[in-house]
Amino acid sequence: MTHPRRHRRPHLRGKAAGIVLAGGSGTRVGAGINKAFLPLSGRSIASWGINTLASVEGVGTLVFVVRPEDLEHARFVAERETQHHVEIIIGGDTRQESELMALRHLADRIDSGAVDTVLIHDAARPLVSHGLAAAVLHAAREHGGAVPGIPAADVAPVDGPDRLAEGRFDPSSLVRVQTPQGFRASTILDAYEAAARDGFVGTDTASCAEEYTDIPVSWVRGEETNFKITYAQDLLLAQDVVAALGLRTG
């Protein structure tokens, strides 16, 4: 199905939309349910990111993208674990399809200017801070696109499967990218529609933006605590961080 670019009326600055993606499973964590709904200090992992994005000044809409089999879990989060209105939608088979469905869900509001920026966040990164999310939003509005990143001082290039590459390598030229990733809403919607027509699949939101837009994607300093929960030990570490820093969600 083709979704042509639509005329967008001029509008004063609108609100940002926070999109939280929960399309993963709990396989590598060793759980029988989607890891986004595992408990972290009394609340589901997903609720942490949802509540943090909701607390950022300028965010007016929350979209929670889930698998069909997780609808009941998602409704529990929306009804019991946040005081903010959450719009729950079904995602696609891939991360990119889920992002596209979220953007299409917001398309009318993007076209009208009511939503001017989107923050796209992985539910599996529960410990993103208010300050980092706000910094990404500010940078996205200023530059058109922004991602958080950690300088990759601990990486090295390889030459084939079993040896390091020879020659000098400057690790300061690389960062480990995190979420939320923020973009001008109209631009990223058009980019995702173009990617869908071409069959292009990127690794994250920024890769699609780099392929189909000319907006500069800036990066802001990420946080070591904003790690992704993939394995069981990651969840244990997150619990330790919550306890050590006295973090709360609500």
Side-chain angles (χ1 to χ4, degrees):
M1 181 177 180
T2 300
H3 289 252
R5 183 169 183 166
R6 290 168 287 193
H7 175 70
R8 296 185 170 99
R9 299 190 297 274
H11 195 278
L12 296 176
R13 174 173 287 186
K15 290 283 190 176
I19 299 170
V20 178
L21 304 172
S25 67
T27 305
R28 286 182 288 181
V29 181
I33 65 171
N34 186 327
K35 62 188 174 185
F37 302 104
L38 291 172
L40 173 60
S41 296
R43 289 177 181 267
S44 67
I45 287 172
S47 71
W48 286 76
I50 289 172
N51 286 323
T52 297
L53 292 191
S55 72
V56 174
E57 183 178 358
V59 174
T61 302
L62 296 169
V63 180
F64 191 22
V65 189
V66 302
R67 305 179 303 176
E69 58 266 41
D70 293 327
L71 267 176
E72 287 304 314
H73 292 301
R75 289 174 182 141
F76 181 89
V77 172
E79 294 169 5
R80 303 288 295 275
E81 296 186 337
T82 181
Q83 297 178 347
H84 309 279
H85 177 66
V86 178
E87 301 175 17
I88 301 171
I89 68 167
I90 300 299
D93 293 333
T94 66
R95 176 196 176 91
Q96 186 159 314
E97 287 179 2
S98 293
E99 290 174 293
L100 175 59
M101 289 181 178
L103 291 167
R104 285 177 176 170
H105 175 75
L106 294 167
D108 288 344
R109 282 169 279 187
I110 293 173
D111 289 345
S112 72
V115 169
D116 67 352
T117 311
V118 293
L119 288 177
I120 302 179
H121 185 58
D122 291 334
R125 294 184 185 269
L127 302 185
V128 59
S129 73
H130 173 277
L132 179 57
V136 172
L137 176 57
H138 175 78
R141 282 185 162 155
E142 184 171 334
H143 301 287
V147 301
I150 297 287
D154 56 350
V155 299
V158 296
D159 183 10
D162 58 0
R163 60 180 290 180
L164 293 178
E166 298 180 357
R168 299 184 62 184
F169 170 68
D170 181 9
S172 67
S173 65
L174 297 176
V175 296
R176 290 183 281 118
V177 175
Q178 303 178 332
T179 67
Q181 299 185 6
F183 292 91
R184 186 177 301 124
S186 59
T187 304
I188 202 65
L189 172 58
D190 288 341
Y192 268 70
E193 291 293 4
R197 291 192 294 271
D198 292 348
F200 172 83
V201 179
T203 55
D204 60 3
T205 320
S207 63
C208 192
E210 290 169 356
E211 183 72 18
Y212 286 96
T213 80
D214 57 2
I215 59 174
V217 179
S218 64
W219 72 278
V220 301
R221 181 69 184 233
E223 299 168 335
E224 293 291 352
T225 51
N226 185 28
F227 55 86
K228 188 173 184 178
I229 294 179
T230 303
Y231 301 101
Q233 59 265 34
D234 299 326
L235 182 54
L236 294 175
L237 177 59
Q239 292 168 344
D240 289 342
V241 172
V242 170
L245 300 183
L247 300 179
R248 297 179 59 191
T249 179

